[in-house]
Amino acid sequence: MPDTPNTAADAAPDPVLGNYRQSIDNIDAALVFLLAERFKVTKAVGAHKAATGLPPADPGRETRQIERLRALAKTADLDPDFSEAFLRFIIGEVIRHHERVQG
Ligand SMILES: O=C(O)C(=O)C[C@]1(C(=O)O)C=C[C@@H](O)C=C1
């Protein structure tokens, strides 16, 4: 996976902190690629919805996604409230994209 090098400002004099930051940078890069893939798919979904007259938002689907993500978060020892807020933020952005496509 391609990555941009750290700036000098990121370089930590403490090697332990430096190693942690290297992992954080790798994880952040993965998140960006994962989000890019998700938005590629939702862009296609938005085009499909516009072409077939489906509404931008599907609240039932969102409820099921959030329920599932909250359960996964608990299993992963991640705060379920944070996970829900994160997913709601992304879905909100997707719905805005869908609405723009529908005009
Ligand atoms: O699954 C859909 O119908 C989508 O448009 C995708 C998505 C999502 O981002 O996951 C976005 C909006 C909907 O309200 C539900 C889910």
mmCIF file of all heavy atoms in Angstrom, residues 11-53:
data_model
loop_
_atom_site.group_PDB
_atom_site.id
_atom_site.type_symbol
_atom_site.label_atom_id
_atom_site.label_comp_id
_atom_site.label_asym_id
_atom_site.label_seq_id
_atom_site.Cartn_x
_atom_site.Cartn_y
_atom_site.Cartn_z
ATOM 1 N N ALA A 11 8.717 13.361 13.087
ATOM 2 C CA ALA A 11 9.779 12.498 13.598
ATOM 3 C C ALA A 11 9.886 12.687 15.118
ATOM 4 O O ALA A 11 10.064 13.799 15.607
ATOM 5 C CB ALA A 11 11.096 12.852 12.928
ATOM 6 N N ALA A 12 9.761 11.571 15.839
ATOM 7 C CA ALA A 12 9.808 11.656 17.295
ATOM 8 C C ALA A 12 11.208 11.305 17.766
ATOM 9 O O ALA A 12 11.778 10.303 17.342
ATOM 10 C CB ALA A 12 8.789 10.706 17.899
ATOM 11 N N PRO A 13 11.779 12.101 18.647
ATOM 12 C CA PRO A 13 13.105 11.784 19.184
ATOM 13 C C PRO A 13 13.047 10.514 20.048
ATOM 14 O O PRO A 13 14.037 9.792 20.177
ATOM 15 C CB PRO A 13 13.458 13.008 20.023
ATOM 16 C CG PRO A 13 12.177 13.735 20.276
ATOM 17 C CD PRO A 13 11.225 13.353 19.186
ATOM 18 N N ASP A 14 11.859 10.237 20.606
ATOM 19 C CA ASP A 14 11.660 9.051 21.446
ATOM 20 C C ASP A 14 11.327 7.869 20.530
ATOM 21 O O ASP A 14 10.294 7.882 19.859
ATOM 22 C CB ASP A 14 10.495 9.359 22.410
ATOM 23 C CG ASP A 14 10.111 8.171 23.264
ATOM 24 O OD1 ASP A 14 10.417 7.017 22.875
ATOM 25 O OD2 ASP A 14 9.468 8.393 24.299
ATOM 26 N N PRO A 15 12.219 6.855 20.461
ATOM 27 C CA PRO A 15 11.996 5.754 19.494
ATOM 28 C C PRO A 15 10.733 4.946 19.793
ATOM 29 O O PRO A 15 10.122 4.397 18.874
ATOM 30 C CB PRO A 15 13.254 4.886 19.627
ATOM 31 C CG PRO A 15 13.882 5.278 20.914
ATOM 32 C CD PRO A 15 13.464 6.676 21.217
ATOM 33 N N VAL A 16 10.336 4.852 21.058
ATOM 34 C CA VAL A 16 9.102 4.113 21.388
ATOM 35 C C VAL A 16 7.909 4.850 20.792
ATOM 36 O O VAL A 16 7.070 4.269 20.094
ATOM 37 C CB VAL A 16 8.939 3.962 22.923
ATOM 38 C CG1 VAL A 16 7.617 3.325 23.264
ATOM 39 C CG2 VAL A 16 10.097 3.143 23.492
ATOM 40 N N LEU A 17 7.860 6.171 21.022
ATOM 41 C CA LEU A 17 6.790 6.992 20.450
ATOM 42 C C LEU A 17 6.841 6.942 18.924
ATOM 43 O O LEU A 17 5.804 6.863 18.250
ATOM 44 C CB LEU A 17 6.924 8.432 20.951
ATOM 45 C CG LEU A 17 5.844 9.426 20.509
ATOM 46 C CD1 LEU A 17 4.457 8.964 20.938
ATOM 47 C CD2 LEU A 17 6.145 10.815 21.071
ATOM 48 N N GLY A 18 8.065 6.955 18.394
ATOM 49 C CA GLY A 18 8.239 6.893 16.938
ATOM 50 C C GLY A 18 7.636 5.630 16.346
ATOM 51 O O GLY A 18 6.974 5.673 15.309
ATOM 52 N N ASN A 19 7.839 4.477 17.022
ATOM 53 C CA ASN A 19 7.270 3.213 16.547
ATOM 54 C C ASN A 19 5.749 3.236 16.611
ATOM 55 O O ASN A 19 5.067 2.771 15.700
ATOM 56 C CB ASN A 19 7.803 2.037 17.375
ATOM 57 C CG ASN A 19 9.170 1.609 16.905
ATOM 58 O OD1 ASN A 19 9.543 1.843 15.754
ATOM 59 N ND2 ASN A 19 9.928 0.990 17.803
ATOM 60 N N TYR A 20 5.221 3.740 17.717
ATOM 61 C CA TYR A 20 3.755 3.847 17.819
ATOM 62 C C TYR A 20 3.212 4.701 16.680
ATOM 63 O O TYR A 20 2.205 4.377 16.054
ATOM 64 C CB TYR A 20 3.352 4.474 19.161
ATOM 65 C CG TYR A 20 3.517 3.578 20.371
ATOM 66 C CD1 TYR A 20 3.953 4.110 21.586
ATOM 67 C CD2 TYR A 20 3.221 2.219 20.309
ATOM 68 C CE1 TYR A 20 4.103 3.311 22.710
ATOM 69 C CE2 TYR A 20 3.377 1.408 21.425
ATOM 70 C CZ TYR A 20 3.817 1.953 22.627
ATOM 71 O OH TYR A 20 3.962 1.151 23.725
ATOM 72 N N ARG A 21 3.900 5.817 16.420
ATOM 73 C CA ARG A 21 3.411 6.732 15.383
ATOM 74 C C ARG A 21 3.481 6.111 13.998
ATOM 75 O O ARG A 21 2.637 6.395 13.148
ATOM 76 C CB ARG A 21 4.215 8.041 15.433
ATOM 77 C CG ARG A 21 3.798 8.903 16.603
ATOM 78 C CD ARG A 21 4.503 10.229 16.612
ATOM 79 N NE ARG A 21 4.002 11.064 17.686
ATOM 80 C CZ ARG A 21 4.553 12.227 18.034
ATOM 81 N NH1 ARG A 21 5.600 12.666 17.379
ATOM 82 N NH2 ARG A 21 4.033 12.922 19.028
ATOM 83 N N GLN A 22 4.475 5.247 13.787
ATOM 84 C CA GLN A 22 4.561 4.570 12.498
ATOM 85 C C GLN A 22 3.326 3.684 12.295
ATOM 86 O O GLN A 22 2.731 3.660 11.211
ATOM 87 C CB GLN A 22 5.827 3.721 12.461
ATOM 88 C CG GLN A 22 6.430 3.629 11.080
ATOM 89 C CD GLN A 22 7.817 3.022 11.133
ATOM 90 O OE1 GLN A 22 8.142 2.241 12.045
ATOM 91 N NE2 GLN A 22 8.650 3.364 10.186
ATOM 92 N N SER A 23 2.937 2.985 13.355
ATOM 93 C CA SER A 23 1.734 2.145 13.274
ATOM 94 C C SER A 23 0.491 3.003 13.078
ATOM 95 O O SER A 23 -0.389 2.660 12.275
ATOM 96 C CB SER A 23 1.563 1.317 14.550
ATOM 97 O OG SER A 23 2.423 0.224 14.531
ATOM 98 N N ILE A 24 0.422 4.103 13.819
ATOM 99 C CA ILE A 24 -0.738 5.004 13.671
ATOM 100 C C ILE A 24 -0.824 5.511 12.229
ATOM 101 O O ILE A 24 -1.913 5.532 11.629
ATOM 102 C CB ILE A 24 -0.632 6.183 14.669
ATOM 103 C CG1 ILE A 24 -0.861 5.675 16.100
ATOM 104 C CG2 ILE A 24 -1.643 7.279 14.325
ATOM 105 C CD1 ILE A 24 -0.503 6.681 17.190
ATOM 106 N N ASP A 25 0.303 5.871 11.652
ATOM 107 C CA ASP A 25 0.304 6.366 10.269
ATOM 108 C C ASP A 25 -0.161 5.279 9.305
ATOM 109 O O ASP A 25 -0.904 5.557 8.350
ATOM 110 C CB ASP A 25 1.699 6.861 9.871
ATOM 111 C CG ASP A 25 2.038 8.202 10.526
ATOM 112 O OD1 ASP A 25 1.106 8.856 11.040
ATOM 113 O OD2 ASP A 25 3.219 8.578 10.527
ATOM 114 N N ASN A 26 0.269 4.025 9.537
ATOM 115 C CA ASN A 26 -0.182 2.924 8.673
ATOM 116 C C ASN A 26 -1.687 2.721 8.799
ATOM 117 O O ASN A 26 -2.390 2.520 7.805
ATOM 118 C CB ASN A 26 0.531 1.618 9.054
ATOM 119 C CG ASN A 26 1.984 1.603 8.602
ATOM 120 O OD1 ASN A 26 2.387 2.408 7.770
ATOM 121 N ND2 ASN A 26 2.763 0.680 9.151
ATOM 122 N N ILE A 27 -2.182 2.759 10.028
ATOM 123 C CA ILE A 27 -3.616 2.568 10.257
ATOM 124 C C ILE A 27 -4.413 3.704 9.615
ATOM 125 O O ILE A 27 -5.437 3.472 8.952
ATOM 126 C CB ILE A 27 -3.913 2.465 11.772
ATOM 127 C CG1 ILE A 27 -3.310 1.179 12.336
ATOM 128 C CG2 ILE A 27 -5.414 2.514 12.040
ATOM 129 C CD1 ILE A 27 -3.186 1.163 13.858
ATOM 130 N N ASP A 28 -3.933 4.937 9.777
ATOM 131 C CA ASP A 28 -4.636 6.078 9.180
ATOM 132 C C ASP A 28 -4.669 5.957 7.654
ATOM 133 O O ASP A 28 -5.677 6.274 7.013
ATOM 134 C CB ASP A 28 -3.968 7.402 9.588
ATOM 135 C CG ASP A 28 -4.235 7.753 11.052
ATOM 136 O OD1 ASP A 28 -5.104 7.110 11.668
ATOM 137 O OD2 ASP A 28 -3.561 8.659 11.574
ATOM 138 N N ALA A 29 -3.566 5.490 7.083
ATOM 139 C CA ALA A 29 -3.528 5.307 5.627
ATOM 140 C C ALA A 29 -4.562 4.256 5.205
ATOM 141 O O ALA A 29 -5.295 4.443 4.227
ATOM 142 C CB ALA A 29 -2.123 4.887 5.188
ATOM 143 N N ALA A 30 -4.628 3.157 5.959
ATOM 144 C CA ALA A 30 -5.605 2.100 5.640
ATOM 145 C C ALA A 30 -7.024 2.651 5.731
ATOM 146 O O ALA A 30 -7.880 2.347 4.884
ATOM 147 C CB ALA A 30 -5.419 0.908 6.585
ATOM 148 N N LEU A 31 -7.281 3.472 6.745
ATOM 149 C CA LEU A 31 -8.620 4.059 6.898
ATOM 150 C C LEU A 31 -8.981 4.906 5.683
ATOM 151 O O LEU A 31 -10.119 4.853 5.196
ATOM 152 C CB LEU A 31 -8.678 4.925 8.168
ATOM 153 C CG LEU A 31 -8.789 4.180 9.495
ATOM 154 C CD1 LEU A 31 -8.683 5.171 10.663
ATOM 155 C CD2 LEU A 31 -10.096 3.412 9.600
ATOM 156 N N VAL A 32 -8.012 5.680 5.197
ATOM 157 C CA VAL A 32 -8.279 6.530 4.030
ATOM 158 C C VAL A 32 -8.624 5.667 2.816
ATOM 159 O O VAL A 32 -9.587 5.940 2.095
ATOM 160 C CB VAL A 32 -7.060 7.448 3.739
ATOM 161 C CG1 VAL A 32 -7.149 8.054 2.344
ATOM 162 C CG2 VAL A 32 -6.985 8.556 4.780
ATOM 163 N N PHE A 33 -7.859 4.579 2.621
ATOM 164 C CA PHE A 33 -8.140 3.709 1.471
ATOM 165 C C PHE A 33 -9.487 3.011 1.631
ATOM 166 O O PHE A 33 -10.242 2.880 0.666
ATOM 167 C CB PHE A 33 -7.015 2.683 1.282
ATOM 168 C CG PHE A 33 -5.798 3.269 0.625
ATOM 169 C CD1 PHE A 33 -4.694 3.649 1.371
ATOM 170 C CD2 PHE A 33 -5.757 3.475 -0.738
ATOM 171 C CE1 PHE A 33 -3.571 4.212 0.773
ATOM 172 C CE2 PHE A 33 -4.652 4.036 -1.364
ATOM 173 C CZ PHE A 33 -3.552 4.413 -0.598
ATOM 174 N N LEU A 34 -9.802 2.577 2.838
ATOM 175 C CA LEU A 34 -11.088 1.907 3.078
ATOM 176 C C LEU A 34 -12.245 2.880 2.833
ATOM 177 O O LEU A 34 -13.248 2.515 2.192
ATOM 178 C CB LEU A 34 -11.155 1.371 4.517
ATOM 179 C CG LEU A 34 -10.300 0.140 4.794
ATOM 180 C CD1 LEU A 34 -10.302 -0.179 6.289
ATOM 181 C CD2 LEU A 34 -10.809 -1.066 4.012
ATOM 182 N N LEU A 35 -12.101 4.105 3.324
ATOM 183 C CA LEU A 35 -13.160 5.099 3.120
ATOM 184 C C LEU A 35 -13.317 5.423 1.634
ATOM 185 O O LEU A 35 -14.444 5.580 1.143
ATOM 186 C CB LEU A 35 -12.862 6.376 3.911
ATOM 187 C CG LEU A 35 -13.217 6.310 5.396
ATOM 188 C CD1 LEU A 35 -12.693 7.556 6.118
ATOM 189 C CD2 LEU A 35 -14.729 6.194 5.600
ATOM 190 N N ALA A 36 -12.190 5.517 0.930
ATOM 191 C CA ALA A 36 -12.259 5.801 -0.511
ATOM 192 C C ALA A 36 -13.036 4.695 -1.228
ATOM 193 O O ALA A 36 -13.883 4.977 -2.093
ATOM 194 C CB ALA A 36 -10.856 5.936 -1.093
ATOM 195 N N GLU A 37 -12.783 3.440 -0.859
ATOM 196 C CA GLU A 37 -13.512 2.318 -1.478
ATOM 197 C C GLU A 37 -14.995 2.385 -1.139
ATOM 198 O O GLU A 37 -15.851 2.155 -1.985
ATOM 199 C CB GLU A 37 -12.934 0.968 -1.018
ATOM 200 C CG GLU A 37 -11.649 0.580 -1.697
ATOM 201 C CD GLU A 37 -11.741 0.582 -3.220
ATOM 202 O OE1 GLU A 37 -12.617 -0.098 -3.777
ATOM 203 O OE2 GLU A 37 -10.923 1.285 -3.854
ATOM 204 N N ARG A 38 -15.296 2.701 0.130
ATOM 205 C CA ARG A 38 -16.709 2.775 0.542
ATOM 206 C C ARG A 38 -17.429 3.865 -0.261
ATOM 207 O O ARG A 38 -18.538 3.656 -0.745
ATOM 208 C CB ARG A 38 -16.804 3.058 2.048
ATOM 209 C CG ARG A 38 -18.209 2.846 2.581
ATOM 210 C CD ARG A 38 -18.331 3.180 4.052
ATOM 211 N NE ARG A 38 -19.517 2.592 4.651
ATOM 212 C CZ ARG A 38 -20.751 3.076 4.490
ATOM 213 N NH1 ARG A 38 -20.947 4.147 3.739
ATOM 214 N NH2 ARG A 38 -21.770 2.474 5.060
ATOM 215 N N PHE A 39 -16.773 5.027 -0.413
ATOM 216 C CA PHE A 39 -17.432 6.118 -1.151
ATOM 217 C C PHE A 39 -17.540 5.798 -2.643
ATOM 218 O O PHE A 39 -18.472 6.266 -3.305
ATOM 219 C CB PHE A 39 -16.725 7.452 -0.896
ATOM 220 C CG PHE A 39 -17.221 8.124 0.367
ATOM 221 C CD1 PHE A 39 -16.512 8.016 1.552
ATOM 222 C CD2 PHE A 39 -18.415 8.829 0.387
ATOM 223 C CE1 PHE A 39 -16.970 8.614 2.735
ATOM 224 C CE2 PHE A 39 -18.895 9.431 1.551
ATOM 225 C CZ PHE A 39 -18.177 9.322 2.728
ATOM 226 N N LYS A 40 -16.598 4.993 -3.176
ATOM 227 C CA LYS A 40 -16.728 4.560 -4.576
ATOM 228 C C LYS A 40 -18.014 3.761 -4.745
ATOM 229 O O LYS A 40 -18.753 3.937 -5.705
ATOM 230 C CB LYS A 40 -15.525 3.683 -4.961
ATOM 231 C CG LYS A 40 -14.543 4.366 -5.881
ATOM 232 C CD LYS A 40 -13.495 3.363 -6.350
ATOM 233 C CE LYS A 40 -12.117 3.886 -6.071
ATOM 234 N NZ LYS A 40 -11.060 2.917 -6.377
ATOM 235 N N VAL A 41 -18.264 2.846 -3.796
ATOM 236 C CA VAL A 41 -19.466 2.001 -3.873
ATOM 237 C C VAL A 41 -20.714 2.853 -3.669
ATOM 238 O O VAL A 41 -21.692 2.731 -4.424
ATOM 239 C CB VAL A 41 -19.424 0.858 -2.825
ATOM 240 C CG1 VAL A 41 -20.706 0.051 -2.872
ATOM 241 C CG2 VAL A 41 -18.233 -0.037 -3.062
ATOM 242 N N THR A 42 -20.696 3.728 -2.668
ATOM 243 C CA THR A 42 -21.912 4.509 -2.393
ATOM 244 C C THR A 42 -22.196 5.503 -3.525
ATOM 245 O O THR A 42 -23.354 5.859 -3.753
ATOM 246 C CB THR A 42 -21.847 5.229 -1.022
ATOM 247 O OG1 THR A 42 -20.691 6.053 -0.961
ATOM 248 C CG2 THR A 42 -21.847 4.225 0.108
ATOM 249 N N LYS A 43 -21.157 5.910 -4.253
ATOM 250 C CA LYS A 43 -21.386 6.771 -5.417
ATOM 251 C C LYS A 43 -22.196 5.995 -6.462
ATOM 252 O O LYS A 43 -23.140 6.531 -7.066
ATOM 253 C CB LYS A 43 -20.029 7.200 -5.996
ATOM 254 C CG LYS A 43 -20.112 8.377 -6.931
ATOM 255 C CD LYS A 43 -18.729 8.827 -7.359
ATOM 256 C CE LYS A 43 -18.839 9.731 -8.582
ATOM 257 N NZ LYS A 43 -17.561 9.967 -9.236
ATOM 258 N N ALA A 44 -21.845 4.735 -6.654
ATOM 259 C CA ALA A 44 -22.589 3.881 -7.593
ATOM 260 C C ALA A 44 -24.012 3.651 -7.081
ATOM 261 O O ALA A 44 -24.974 3.650 -7.865
ATOM 262 C CB ALA A 44 -21.862 2.548 -7.784
ATOM 263 N N VAL A 45 -24.146 3.475 -5.772
ATOM 264 C CA VAL A 45 -25.480 3.300 -5.178
ATOM 265 C C VAL A 45 -26.326 4.554 -5.436
ATOM 266 O O VAL A 45 -27.502 4.470 -5.807
ATOM 267 C CB VAL A 45 -25.392 3.008 -3.658
ATOM 268 C CG1 VAL A 45 -26.772 3.047 -3.009
ATOM 269 C CG2 VAL A 45 -24.741 1.662 -3.405
ATOM 270 N N GLY A 46 -25.703 5.731 -5.264
ATOM 271 C CA GLY A 46 -26.414 6.992 -5.486
ATOM 272 C C GLY A 46 -26.897 7.120 -6.925
ATOM 273 O O GLY A 46 -28.029 7.551 -7.168
ATOM 274 N N ALA A 47 -26.051 6.723 -7.874
ATOM 275 C CA ALA A 47 -26.427 6.778 -9.283
ATOM 276 C C ALA A 47 -27.580 5.803 -9.554
ATOM 277 O O ALA A 47 -28.534 6.129 -10.273
ATOM 278 C CB ALA A 47 -25.226 6.443 -10.162
ATOM 279 N N HIS A 48 -27.500 4.620 -8.955
ATOM 280 C CA HIS A 48 -28.552 3.612 -9.130
ATOM 281 C C HIS A 48 -29.871 4.107 -8.544
ATOM 282 O O HIS A 48 -30.932 3.966 -9.174
ATOM 283 C CB HIS A 48 -28.119 2.307 -8.468
ATOM 284 C CG HIS A 48 -29.162 1.228 -8.503
ATOM 285 N ND1 HIS A 48 -29.516 0.581 -9.660
ATOM 286 C CD2 HIS A 48 -29.959 0.720 -7.517
ATOM 287 C CE1 HIS A 48 -30.470 -0.295 -9.392
ATOM 288 N NE2 HIS A 48 -30.757 -0.224 -8.092
ATOM 289 N N LYS A 49 -29.790 4.693 -7.354
ATOM 290 C CA LYS A 49 -31.010 5.205 -6.711
ATOM 291 C C LYS A 49 -31.634 6.318 -7.554
ATOM 292 O O LYS A 49 -32.856 6.381 -7.704
ATOM 293 C CB LYS A 49 -30.688 5.711 -5.298
ATOM 294 C CG LYS A 49 -30.507 4.603 -4.276
ATOM 295 C CD LYS A 49 -30.324 5.159 -2.869
ATOM 296 C CE LYS A 49 -30.478 4.057 -1.827
ATOM 297 N NZ LYS A 49 -30.355 4.553 -0.454
ATOM 298 N N ALA A 50 -30.782 7.207 -8.095
ATOM 299 C CA ALA A 50 -31.302 8.301 -8.920
ATOM 300 C C ALA A 50 -31.962 7.753 -10.181
ATOM 301 O O ALA A 50 -33.026 8.218 -10.602
ATOM 302 C CB ALA A 50 -30.174 9.262 -9.272
ATOM 303 N N ALA A 51 -31.343 6.726 -10.770
ATOM 304 C CA ALA A 51 -31.869 6.163 -12.022
ATOM 305 C C ALA A 51 -33.174 5.396 -11.813
ATOM 306 O O ALA A 51 -34.002 5.305 -12.717
ATOM 307 C CB ALA A 51 -30.811 5.255 -12.662
ATOM 308 N N THR A 52 -33.339 4.826 -10.617
ATOM 309 C CA THR A 52 -34.507 3.969 -10.373
ATOM 310 C C THR A 52 -35.552 4.636 -9.482
ATOM 311 O O THR A 52 -36.563 4.021 -9.140
ATOM 312 C CB THR A 52 -34.069 2.626 -9.729
ATOM 313 O OG1 THR A 52 -33.339 2.911 -8.533
ATOM 314 C CG2 THR A 52 -33.205 1.815 -10.678
ATOM 315 N N GLY A 53 -35.302 5.888 -9.091
ATOM 316 C CA GLY A 53 -36.280 6.635 -8.304
ATOM 317 C C GLY A 53 -36.356 6.237 -6.838
ATOM 318 O O GLY A 53 -37.362 6.499 -6.182
#
